Amino acid sequence: MSVRALLTGLGAAFALYLAARALVWVEGVPARPGLAIAMILLYLIATALCMFADARPEPRRESPDDEIMLLNTGSGGPSRLPVWACVLALLTAALVPSLTVLALVPGDRTTASGTWYIGAIGLLMTIVMVRRRPWAAWGGIVLLSGASMGWLGVAPALTLGLIGSIMWVLAAQLLALSVDRASRDTARLAQLQRAASAWRAAQLGRQRERRIQVQRALAVAGPILSRTIERSGALDERERAEARIAEGQLRDELRGARLLDDGVRAELDAARRRGTTVSVLDEGGLDGLSEEDLAVIRAELTAAVHDAKSDRLFIRASSDRRIAVTIVGRSSAGAGLPDEDSVDLWREITRPR
């Protein structure tokens, strides 16, 4: 059983007890029994509506804590009692004490059945306070105090339960403030925990990527480095060419890892073996793209490198909202031609929609 259901059950039981107490007419039938019963029914209806009415208001954003609760729970705080229910509660607090007294004979006004409304209205205002309507709760207590003191006198009203009703409402307000503060603290801690978990996951992802890159780098450069150490740097032309290719592959892994897959790596290696100088650079232009989008971009890049005949290829991830990757190919200019005319390939790969 939830705490809310338990508290609702206790409130309903106490309200029914007070209503039953009002029906125990020890001194005889009231002067106006119909009016007395009508006040009991009005109280029960108002109490039930205040306990169960759910306004589901728009989330409040009165403070940064409310913003945090909105992000974490979808609500800026506990749901408040609807305004119409507050009006009904205040109307009950204004009518029930005076009309109950008028329904009794003067001698019964200080009996248990004649003062039931003091505890009953106190309970109703406690419910209103718990539903986060402090202005309505204290307004009802003011109405109850005025009516009970006016009909019974100050000292009798205080001794017959008015102090207890005031203390209930005050305790409910303090408890509500404490619960709200605890809820906001919990939401803030949950947000911090999620942020820490996301940061840790990102760090683990980066560490995993670095391990993969190191393993790939060792697989690419390990053999040629071993031969270089064995021969004290005395490599033949073929081995020097392999070393340059390995260096280019290492640069690709370090500077443009998100642009690469097995197909792109194979085409870049083939281009270098044809004598093409390849430069790959990604400065974060592909951040935020899904793996499906990256697969489409890499497939187009593979085809572009495969068809390229340039002496030098410059592949760069773009931060433009429309263009994902720019591929520029340059070749040696002909006799008498300026360098600007040596660009023989310009291709842009658009971002997938």
Side-chain angles (χ1 to χ4, degrees):
M1 181 180 296
S2 66
V3 175
R4 180 176 180 178
L6 178 61
L7 293 177
T8 302
L10 289 175
F14 199 17
L16 291 174
Y17 162 75
L18 291 171
R21 177 185 172 186
L23 292 173
V24 180
W25 296 321
V26 179
E27 303 296 333
V29 178
R32 300 178 181 83
L35 181 60
I37 294 176
M39 292 301 99
I40 296 173
L41 292 177
L42 174 61
Y43 163 72
L44 290 176
I45 293 172
T47 302
L49 290 176
C50 289
M51 282 195 296
F52 298 108
D54 190 359
R56 299 191 182 278
E58 291 296 323
R60 291 177 288 158
R61 305 184 184 187
E62 300 171 356
S63 68
D65 288 340
D66 289 330
E67 291 286 351
I68 292 174
M69 293 189 69
L70 176 63
L71 292 174
N72 285 276
T73 66
S75 173
S79 62
R80 294 184 294 176
L81 187 67
V83 175
W84 61 265
C86 294
V87 174
L88 177 61
L90 290 175
L91 182 64
T92 303
L95 294 179
V96 169
S98 297
L99 294 182
T100 298
V101 171
L102 292 176
L104 302 173
V105 296
D108 294 341
R109 293 175 181 177
T110 57
T111 62
S113 60
T115 59
W116 70 274
Y117 60 85
I118 298 178
I121 300 302
L123 175 62
L124 178 58
M125 293 303 112
T126 301
I127 295 171
V128 173
M129 180 64 77
V130 171
R131 295 297 304 274
R132 272 65 178 185
R133 291 294 188 180
W135 60 269
W138 287 116
I141 288 296
V142 169
L143 293 174
L144 172 64
S145 300
S148 59
M149 290 180 181
W151 289 106
L152 302 176
V154 176
L158 294 175
T159 58
L160 290 173
L162 183 58
I163 292 179
S165 296
I166 295 173
M167 295 304 297
W168 288 352
V169 176
L170 179 60
Q173 185 173 27
L174 295 177
L175 180 61
L177 291 175
S178 300
V179 170
D180 289 349
R181 187 178 297 109
S183 298
R184 289 182 169 87
D185 290 342
T186 301
R188 213 164 28 240
L189 289 174
Q191 185 186 45
L192 293 174
Q193 183 180 12
R194 275 196 292 272
S197 299
W199 179 85
R200 178 174 174 79
Q203 292 299 315
L204 291 176
R206 292 190 183 96
Q207 292 176 2
R208 190 181 304 111
E209 290 180 2
R210 283 195 291 269
R211 285 197 299 268
I212 294 173
Q213 290 177 359
V214 170
Q215 292 171 358
R216 186 174 289 118
L218 291 175
V220 170
I224 190 63
L225 288 175
S226 299
R227 287 199 298 273
T228 302
I229 294 172
E230 290 173 359
R231 301 186 181 187
S232 299
L235 303 177
D236 56 27
E237 290 300 323
R238 183 184 63 82
E239 290 172 336
R240 290 179 183 277
E242 290 293 333
R244 284 192 292 271
I245 292 173
E247 179 189 8
Q249 291 172 344
L250 287 176
R251 291 181 182 275
D252 295 344
E253 297 294 339
L254 295 175
R255 300 170 61 184
R258 290 180 65 81
L259 284 166
L260 305 178
D261 60 9
D262 292 339
V264 175
R265 291 187 182 95
E267 291 300 331
L268 293 177
D269 181 71
R272 288 189 172 99
R273 294 184 184 280
R274 293 195 301 266
T276 302
T277 301
V278 182
S279 176
V280 179
L281 181 62
D282 174 19
E283 297 179 336
L286 301 181
D287 291 346
L289 293 179
S290 64
E291 286 300 322
E292 292 78 7
D293 293 340
L294 290 175
V296 173
I297 293 172
R298 290 163 181 166
E300 294 189 36
L301 178 58
T302 300
V305 175
H306 177 78
D307 297 336
K309 306 300 181 184
S310 305
D311 294 336
R312 298 187 300 277
L313 279 179
F314 301 92
I315 302 170
R316 183 169 184 173
S318 173
S319 58
D320 186 81
R321 290 182 297 178
R322 188 178 62 88
I323 305 301
V325 179
T326 301
I327 306 168
V328 179
R330 298 175 68 92
S331 298
S332 299
L337 293 177
D339 290 342
E340 286 78 8
D341 294 333
S342 65
V343 176
D344 60 357
L345 173 63
W346 179 280
R347 181 166 178 179
E348 295 176 337
I349 299 177
T350 59
R351 296 178 181 271
R353 292 185 179 276

